[in-house]
Amino acid sequence: MDKVNNITFTGISNIGCINFKREPGAKGALSKSISMVLRDDLKGKDFSEYNQVLHRITKSPSDFYFKPDEKNILNIECYSDRNGDVLMLNGNVIEPENKTMPIFSYIAKLTRKIANMPEKDMVVNKDYVNYEAQTNLIYGSKINIRHVLPEQKSQFLNGFFDKDGVKYGAEQVNEFIQRIMNRYFDV
């Protein structure tokens, strides 16, 4: 019975954040990726809301799924170089235009939710970290852990799911979106 009381319902789980350099990329280019698993539950309909937004911005929502069989994984990448900022959603560049404003609003709302989420609600599944995180944290790439001893693999990967780091990363993604919106609306 005690395990039932410890279950949390957040609509978002396995939130991880990583900074990296996408290759090939411009000199000085940096990316930040925040990745998560969305679902519908008692506290939110995050997965349904994501799908509704996709249907508003495209006739092919499946193009924005992480993989055809992994519709509920959301990977948001913020790429910056000397030419500007680019937002990517599961590998798709999202240009700021009237048609895409719902996705910018959704991501801003989602990142605010994550930044303010109580730590007890930030669920990270051990199997997800050990078996899926390497390929899900950076869209289209696998995190190289060859330099990590097998017994340290879990500890290394868990670093990307640090709750304070994830909250800070969500704040940074939110600020990134705000910068893009300010430029778009010429504020």
Side-chain angles (χ1 to χ4, degrees):
M1 193 63 136
D2 191 42
K3 287 187 179 192
V4 171
N5 293 332
N6 289 329
I7 295 174
T8 58
F9 298 94
T10 61
I12 309 168
S13 64
N14 301 313
I15 310 166
C17 190
I18 184 171
N19 294 317
F20 62 100
K21 181 172 175 28
R22 188 166 284 284
E23 297 293 340
K27 185 177 180 179
L30 291 174
S31 284
K32 173 178 287 296
S33 176
I34 189 164
S35 180
M36 66 207 72
V37 177
L38 301 174
R39 63 179 185 272
D40 294 338
D41 59 27
L42 296 176
K43 282 196 177 178
K45 303 289 182 201
D46 294 288
F47 182 62
S48 292
E49 189 176 349
Y50 173 60
N51 277 308
Q52 288 171 357
V53 169
L54 288 181
H55 281 85
R56 289 175 59 195
I57 68 164
T58 182
K59 292 183 181 184
S60 303
S62 61
D63 292 346
F64 289 85
Y65 293 150
F66 191 78
K67 293 179 187 168
D69 60 335
E70 294 179 330
K71 300 173 184 177
N72 63 336
I73 294 175
L74 177 58
N75 186 284
I76 303 163
E77 183 176 336
C78 303
Y79 174 87
S80 294
D81 66 18
R82 65 182 172 269
N83 298 316
D85 298 327
V86 176
L87 180 73
M88 290 182 266
L89 184 70
N90 286 339
N92 296 281
V93 172
I94 307 295
E95 296 290 343
E97 54 189 21
N98 287 341
K99 176 182 160 185
T100 60
M101 285 303 111
I103 200 70
F104 281 95
S105 296
Y106 173 75
I107 294 170
K109 176 183 166 191
L110 186 67
T111 54
R112 279 191 306 273
K113 180 178 180 177
I114 293 167
N116 293 307
M117 188 179 281
E119 288 191 12
K120 67 176 180 57
D121 290 344
M122 297 177 81
V123 177
V124 179
N125 181 290
K126 190 178 202 177
D127 286 342
Y128 181 87
V129 172
N130 290 328
Y131 301 108
E132 297 179 54
Q134 276 184 266
T135 56
N136 292 357
L137 285 171
I138 301 173
Y139 183 84
S141 294
K142 183 175 182 177
I143 296 173
N144 180 355
I145 58 168
R146 286 183 294 195
H147 65 284
V148 178
L149 296 172
E151 59 272 9
Q152 296 174 327
K153 174 186 171 187
S154 181
Q155 181 181 355
F156 175 77
L157 291 172
N158 273 316
F160 301 119
F161 296 88
D162 172 74
K163 294 173 183 182
D164 289 332
V166 165
K167 287 177 163 215
Y168 181 67
E171 288 173 6
Q172 289 180 312
V173 170
N174 195 278
E175 291 168 7
F176 184 88
I177 291 169
Q178 188 64 49
R179 277 197 317 270
I180 291 174
M181 292 298 92
N182 286 349
R183 270 189 232 109
Y184 178 71
F185 290 113
D186 200 26
V187 176

